[in-house]
Amino acid sequence: MALVFTAWWGWSHVFCKPTNIVLVNLREATEADILANNDHPQIKLKTVPMTELRDFKDIDAVFFNAYGLTLDEEQMAALEEAVQRGMVVYSHFSGSTTSKEEDAIYRNLTPEQIDTLSSYFQNQNRENYRNGLRYLRHLATPKAYGDQHYENPQEMPKMLFYHREYGQYFKNPKELEGYLKEKGLYNEGGPKLALIGGITFPMEGNRPHL
């Protein structure tokens, strides 16, 4: 009986242990988008307010929004202690074009890995969020049981027009009007209204939120 319990404990707590990733200081829309597009059964996401981030026990990776991030000495000490046991730390820039790269927090990542993670999370769409999480899992727990597959990041255009249907992007208003006419959605002679977004794909992978 003891042997069976030991085998079960090892299977569930070591071999099949999920990858625990904490999201900190993200904008609500980005947070909702990332949470909505995690489809991996062994990636467990948790959001923690920056002021409440104290305990890094059982955390495999931390995903920070670097803009406006401030950690006190106690938090940094706890962070560094967890880094020593192998926890991965990645900082993403969101909300400002003036943030300095050297102000970010990265731990247990190579420059190439940081660049790849940035390609996933700075090119916002649901496939990049989905695969970015899978890639982060691979970096944090490379020997974990289960699917370790991920696709390469997709580079998305920065200036475009788009429809609410996912994946429909257009270079100019004429292309968008042609698509709407084809779908029977265009109101000939009606007023034209443009919503100009400060980010390329607001809630791209979570259109119900939008």
Side-chain angles (χ1 to χ4, degrees), residues 75-143:
Q75 289 174 306
M76 284 301 299
L79 180 75
E80 294 298 344
E81 183 179 345
V83 165
Q84 292 302 313
R85 64 165 172 76
M87 186 179 73
V88 168
V89 182
Y90 169 70
S91 291
H92 169 66
F93 285 90
S94 173
S96 173
T97 58
T98 60
S99 296
K100 295 182 179 180
E101 193 74 17
E102 56 266 27
D103 294 334
I105 302 175
Y106 302 111
R107 298 290 189 275
N108 293 326
L109 293 171
T110 67
E112 293 75 19
Q113 291 167 344
I114 294 169
D115 288 344
T116 301
L117 285 167
S118 296
S119 294
Y120 281 118
F121 295 109
Q122 290 176 6
N123 289 279
Q124 309 103 318
N125 71 10
R126 65 184 182 186
E127 292 303 317
N128 279 340
Y129 282 147
R130 171 184 178 273
N131 287 299
L133 290 172
R134 286 168 170 257
Y135 180 65
L136 185 56
R137 175 182 190 260
H138 173 71
L139 297 179
T141 54
K143 297 181 180 180

Side-chain angles (χ1 to χ4, degrees), residues 26-106:
L26 271 63
R27 294 181 301 188
E28 288 185 4
T30 303
E31 184 180 281
D33 212 347
I34 292 174
L35 290 170
N37 290 289
N38 173 32
D39 66 347
H40 198 299
Q42 289 172 286
I43 295 178
K44 304 302 180 185
L45 299 178
K46 181 180 179 181
T47 61
V48 179
M50 181 169 53
T51 55
E52 297 179 14
L53 185 65
R54 300 288 170 186
D55 185 6
F56 294 92
K57 183 181 179 181
D58 297 326
I59 296 175
D60 299 297
V62 179
F63 184 126
F64 286 120
N65 173 19
Y67 180 65
L69 180 69
T70 52
L71 300 178
D72 60 31
E73 292 183 2
E74 179 186 344
Q75 289 174 306
M76 284 301 299
L79 180 75
E80 294 298 344
E81 183 179 345
V83 165
Q84 292 302 313
R85 64 165 172 76
M87 186 179 73
V88 168
V89 182
Y90 169 70
S91 291
H92 169 66
F93 285 90
S94 173
S96 173
T97 58
T98 60
S99 296
K100 295 182 179 180
E101 193 74 17
E102 56 266 27
D103 294 334
I105 302 175
Y106 302 111

Side-chain angles (χ1 to χ4, degrees), residues 164-182:
R164 64 185 178 185
E165 181 182 346
Y166 177 78
Q168 297 297 332
Y169 316 123
F170 308 92
K171 297 179 181 178
N172 54 59
K174 186 175 180 180
E175 287 186 3
L176 173 56
E177 287 183 6
Y179 171 81
L180 295 175
K181 288 176 180 178
E182 179 183 335

